Amino acid sequence: MNFHERTTLRVNQQGRLEIGGIDSIDLAREFSTPLYVYDGAYIRRMMSVYRDALKEYEGGGRIYYASKAFSCMGMYALAKGEGLGADVVSGGELFTALKGGMPAEDLCLHGNNKLPREIEEGLDAKVGCFVVDSLYEADLLEEGAKRRNMRQKVLLRINPGVEAHTHAYVQTATPDSKFGFSVANGSAERMLAELLSRPHLDVWGFHCHIGSQIFEKESFVLAAEKCLAFAHDMKERLGFVLRELNLGGGLGVYYAEGDRCIEPEGYRVYLEALFEGVKRGCERYGLTLPRIDLEPGRSIVAEAGITLYTVGSVREIPGIRKYLAVDGGMFEAPRYALYGSKYTAVLANRAAETPTERVAIAGKCCESGDLLGVDFLLPAAKTGDLIALFSTGAYHYSMASHYNRNLIPPAVLAEGGRAEYLILPECYEDLTARDVIPKSLRK
């Protein structure tokens, strides 16, 4: 199997999969399975691609790691060390980022329905920026900032109406979306006027995120063009001067055959095209170059992650399908059940062997739909074999649950031949730590 040049994945002389210079067998032996494993060198390299590309843009700006892809204290410490900020979309992500050492001024607080306490927490922490997504939120922000005798920097989330070619569940800038204010129907202009009237809100610009798992750079360039056209109109009609434009994230990654495989320099090409598009747009509309912010998440951590499983029961239904049951499932890998997302897998302990059969990989949940996929090409597997599922670094741990009261797996960072916990293992006591038996049920 061919691996991207930026990863440390390889098949060693023993015919076994390595990540971060560590044999997968040793990882499974030391940390057990299922296990989330993150390639530290990969993460650093992808962060540097974004960081260094932005240095070439004359207007300046910031790279914010998108927390929702994978949030834990260690990730924020890593991002801080690589010169990135982070975007957070809940009080929990905010708390974790701060506890992980991320300075509050390097945080951008998102969300289409921020809770009143989350707004208060963000103001108390003095986060660098809020992205405003409703009038309700603007009212709460104005009131909170007034009580603190401060002006809070904000961006207005706008919907430019760009439909990227991606899954409907992850499109966020279509006309029918729960996110942002539409440029086309005038709501973005009305909301901008509202924000500009608030004395304790300092409006720097706009935020626009068109979706995820996008491979066409033209979609991003078009979104930037529409944002700049809107900025020109708002300068003419409201006297508003754009200082900052946050263009979100959404660049695609490789999951399985059929996906485009983008190497690091390929991502740089996307970014350079975007920056060039912003420059052209500013020249066309007579605008000063704004700061540009980007929010990569999936493209930083998805392919950095693999999940290791141990094969348990093997069930073959003649003429129909062969199932390999593993010790994980939809409780820690929900995307196939949710979206039908496809993945690539290998037998990690026999990675050099030629695949001979197509199989389904089933989880251990009491649910017919608990599958990791149905069309994996593998060598003939048996109980005890080790399976590695690739590109699981984003939206696996983040979306994991305790369904069937299963334990969410730990996560480790593998780098330079050393593996360390990012997230410690759970135990059964963790599952009942918040349970109580009401007095009426005690006998």
Side-chain angles (χ1 to χ4, degrees):
M1 180 174 182
N2 295 321
F3 299 115
H4 290 186
E5 64 173 53
R6 63 183 177 276
T7 72
T8 62
L9 289 170
R10 74 181 189 97
V11 178
N12 62 22
Q13 292 182 342
Q14 290 74 41
R16 301 194 291 256
L17 182 70
E18 277 188 9
I19 182 170
I22 310 170
D23 194 310
S24 55
I25 291 289
D26 294 332
L27 287 166
R29 185 180 296 118
E30 180 176 357
F31 299 103
S32 192
T33 62
L35 178 69
Y36 299 120
V37 186
Y38 283 84
D39 182 343
Y42 177 110
I43 293 172
R44 293 182 194 278
R45 185 165 185 190
M46 288 307 300
M47 286 182 172
S48 72
V49 165
Y50 282 97
R51 182 193 64 224
D52 295 346
L54 186 59
K55 288 178 181 177
E56 303 300 316
Y57 171 70
E58 296 92 324
R62 195 65 193 265
I63 303 297
Y64 293 100
Y65 167 67
S67 297
K68 64 179 183 176
F70 176 55
S71 175
C72 67
M73 289 165 53
M75 271 301 301
Y76 295 111
L78 202 165
K80 177 188 174 185
E82 294 299 315
L84 274 64
D87 78 49
V88 293
V89 299
S90 70
E93 286 185 354
L94 172 61
F95 179 83
T96 307
L98 293 172
K99 198 166 183 182
M102 183 67 71
E105 60 266 26
D106 294 338
L107 297 176
C108 184
L109 183 53
H110 280 273
N112 70 298
N113 186 33
K114 300 176 188 68
L115 304 178
R117 64 171 171 78
E118 291 173 330
I119 290 176
E120 293 292 311
E121 289 161 1
L123 289 169
D124 284 341
K126 296 183 172 58
V127 298
C129 182
F130 277 78
V131 176
V132 176
D133 209 345
S134 70
L135 178 58
Y136 162 75
E137 175 188 336
D139 290 339
L140 292 174
L141 270 173
E142 172 65 21
E143 292 167 8
K146 182 179 180 180
R147 287 197 310 274
R148 292 166 176 82
N149 193 29
M150 62 182 285
R151 289 193 83 207
Q152 174 62 56
K153 174 184 173 181
V154 299
L155 300 178
L156 172 64
R157 181 154 184 174
I158 65 173
N159 183 336
V162 176
E163 296 194 34
H165 296 151
T166 186
H167 195 291
Y169 288 176
V170 293
Q171 289 178 337
T172 57
T174 60
D176 183 8
S177 174
K178 75 172 190 174
F179 297 106
F181 294 88
S182 171
V183 170
N185 68 14
S187 64
E189 179 176 352
R190 292 191 294 273
M191 189 61 201
L192 177 60
E194 279 284 344
L195 291 180
L196 292 172
S197 73
R198 308 300 173 94
H200 295 89
L201 301 184
D202 188 9
V203 189
W204 277 54
F206 309 131
H207 178 281
C208 166
H209 176 67
I210 61 174
S212 300
Q213 197 58 0
I214 302 166
F215 290 98
E216 301 81 16
K217 61 178 179 287
E218 294 79 12
S219 298
F220 296 102
V221 175
L222 177 59
E225 149 73 22
K226 287 181 174 288
C227 289
L228 293 170
F230 178 64
H232 171 265
D233 291 345
M234 295 305 96
K235 184 178 180 181
E236 294 289 311
R237 295 207 281 268
L238 300 178
F240 174 71
V241 177
L242 178 71
R243 288 179 280 172
E244 188 164 337
L245 181 59
N246 186 320
L247 291 166
L251 284 171
V253 303
Y254 182 85
Y255 284 104
E257 187 176 353
D259 288 335
R260 194 176 306 173
C261 182
I262 308 174
E263 295 298 344
E265 286 309 306
Y267 284 101
R268 190 178 182 90
V269 169
Y270 276 67
L271 299 172
E272 289 172 348
L274 178 60
F275 299 147
E276 189 58 37
V278 170
K279 292 176 194 176
R280 288 196 307 270
C282 287
E283 290 172 1
R284 181 181 309 121
Y285 295 114
L287 301 173
T288 302
L289 278 179
R291 285 173 52 88
I292 293 294
D293 303 326
L294 298 173
E295 298 170 342
R298 185 195 308 261
S299 57
I300 287 176
V301 293
E303 293 175 72
I306 67 169
T307 308
L308 294 176
Y309 302 96
T310 300
V311 176
S313 67
V314 178
R315 181 189 303 272
E316 186 160 9
I317 305 173
I320 299 179
R321 200 184 306 279
K322 183 175 183 178
Y323 289 91
L324 307 180
V326 296
D327 48 359
M330 63 190 294
F331 64 94
E332 48 70 36
R335 294 183 67 252
Y336 180 80
L338 286 174
Y339 310 138
S341 301
K342 293 183 179 180
Y343 290 92
T344 303
V346 300
L347 287 188
N349 59 318
R350 296 160 52 197
E353 293 186 20
T354 302
T356 58
E357 60 184 15
R358 291 198 177 273
V359 299
I361 300 178
K364 65 184 295 294
C365 294
C366 188
E367 189 82 38
S368 296
D370 180 23
L371 299 167
L372 303 183
V374 296
D375 194 28
F376 294 100
L377 185 60
L378 299 174
K382 58 185 183 299
T383 298
D385 276 332
L386 195 65
I387 288 178
L389 194 69
F390 294 110
S391 298
T392 61
Y395 306 108
H396 277 237
Y397 176 79
S398 316
M399 299 173 74
S401 75
H402 289 120
Y403 186 50
N404 285 170
R405 286 259 150 156
N406 282 298
L407 302 177
I408 296 174
V412 298
L413 184 70
E415 189 171 13
R418 181 180 182 182
E420 298 177 283
Y421 279 118
L422 285 166
I423 299 166
L424 293 169
E426 294 184 339
C427 66
Y428 289 143
E429 289 297 325
D430 294 321
L431 295 177
T432 58
R434 294 290 182 269
D435 289 6
V436 293
I437 301 175
K439 290 182 180 179
S440 61
L441 299 180
R442 299 174 192 168
K443 295 182 180 179

